[in-house]
Amino acid sequence: YKENEVISLIQNNTIYKFRIMDLINLWKISLFKSENMFAMPKVLKNPFTNIEFKVHNLYNIFFSFMRIPFIIPEIILTYFKCEFDLYLFKKKNYPILQENAIEHYVNNSHYLDLLDYLTTLLHVFRKETEYVFLKSELSVFKKQFIIKSMQKIIVLYLKYKFLCNPLLKDKYLYEFKTKLKKYF
């Protein structure tokens, strides 16, 4: 790697060398961390020792990133503006983190969890779907296929249902109903 793409950080009297882009990718993952549909951002940890980086290390990483010709990811920039205070970061960026947590949940959960949400949304919006329901005796493969084909619709429904911003809820409700009608 080029010299400006590598950073050396001292932690516990040991010098660790990292490629800056690798740290940035790990940083984005830790800030977008979520459990179920709840945003749970974490502090960046040293991948060799699993020890959290101190604030001065985060500043060093951030300013080292400025030396390479890449654009700083928005999530890291907002974390920098919060002076790397995780509580303040969560408080100011909750809507973005929540939206990402919902997308992550739908993309990574088990199909049976999503099947429950699909059953609920088909019941709630039964007039829009002209009373379409799922048969209970469908095979596992058919259920997985249905979930996969309706994944984007489920994401829109969950965003409409669980986001806290009323303007976004209205937007996602409109998109959801449009895609739902188009699907059926």
Side-chain angles (χ1 to χ4, degrees):
Y1 300 112
K2 296 177 185 173
E3 191 175 318
N4 66 339
E5 292 181 5
V6 176
I7 185 174
S8 296
L9 298 172
I10 298 173
Q11 197 175 36
N12 292 340
N13 296 324
T14 307
I15 299 173
Y16 295 96
K17 288 190 175 210
F18 302 99
R19 182 171 174 248
I20 295 172
M21 285 306 297
D22 292 339
L23 282 178
I24 295 298
N25 289 332
L26 290 173
W27 208 353
K28 284 174 30 183
I29 291 169
S30 67
L31 290 175
F32 278 128
K33 199 90 168 152
S34 63
E35 293 177 19
N36 289 327
M37 283 187 270
F38 298 100
M40 305 281 215
K42 304 287 184 200
V43 176
L44 179 64
K45 294 182 179 182
N46 183 332
F48 296 117
T49 62
N50 207 27
I51 297 172
E52 290 181 355
F53 283 118
K54 304 268 190 238
V55 173
H56 68 275
N57 293 125
L58 298 178
Y59 276 107
N60 287 333
I61 295 166
F62 182 82
F63 290 122
S64 295
F65 187 74
M66 305 287 260
R67 294 182 294 166
I68 58 176
F70 293 104
I71 297 172
I72 298 173
E74 186 68 31
I75 193 76
I76 294 174
L77 189 59
T78 56
Y79 190 41
F80 170 75
K81 290 177 182 177
C82 294
E83 299 175 356
F84 299 125
D85 179 352
L86 203 56
Y87 177 75
L88 181 62
F89 171 74
K90 284 191 270 190
K91 196 165 76 172
K92 283 188 171 185
N93 297 288
Y94 182 77
I96 295 166
L97 297 172
Q98 180 71 24
E99 193 168 348
N100 184 73
I102 290 170
E103 288 175 12
H104 184 268
Y105 175 78
V106 172
N107 292 332
N108 296 301
S109 24
H110 195 267
Y111 79 95
L112 288 176
D113 296 331
L114 298 178
L115 193 64
D116 290 340
Y117 285 113
L118 179 61
T119 305
T120 303
L121 79 86
L122 288 175
H123 175 72
V124 171
F125 294 96
R126 59 190 173 270
K127 290 180 183 175
E128 284 83 352
T129 62
E130 297 178 8
Y131 297 91
V132 171
F133 290 98
L134 293 175
K135 291 182 182 178
S136 56
E137 63 274 349
L138 287 174
S139 72
V140 171
F141 298 111
K142 285 184 181 179
K143 289 177 183 176
Q144 288 175 337
F145 175 78
I146 291 168
I147 292 298
K148 193 71 175 167
S149 66
M150 294 190 71
Q151 194 168 10
K152 291 179 181 174
I153 295 171
I154 296 170
V155 167
L156 292 172
Y157 170 72
L158 293 176
K159 285 181 180 181
Y160 153 70
K161 187 87 173 149
F162 295 115
L163 287 182
C164 53
N165 184 336
L167 298 174
L168 284 177
K169 286 178 83 117
D170 290 343
K171 172 190 171 222
Y172 288 125
L173 177 62
Y174 175 76
E175 287 181 33
F176 164 73
K177 284 185 173 181
T178 304
K179 287 195 183 223
L180 189 66
K181 287 177 185 176
K182 190 175 181 182
Y183 184 84
F184 288 105

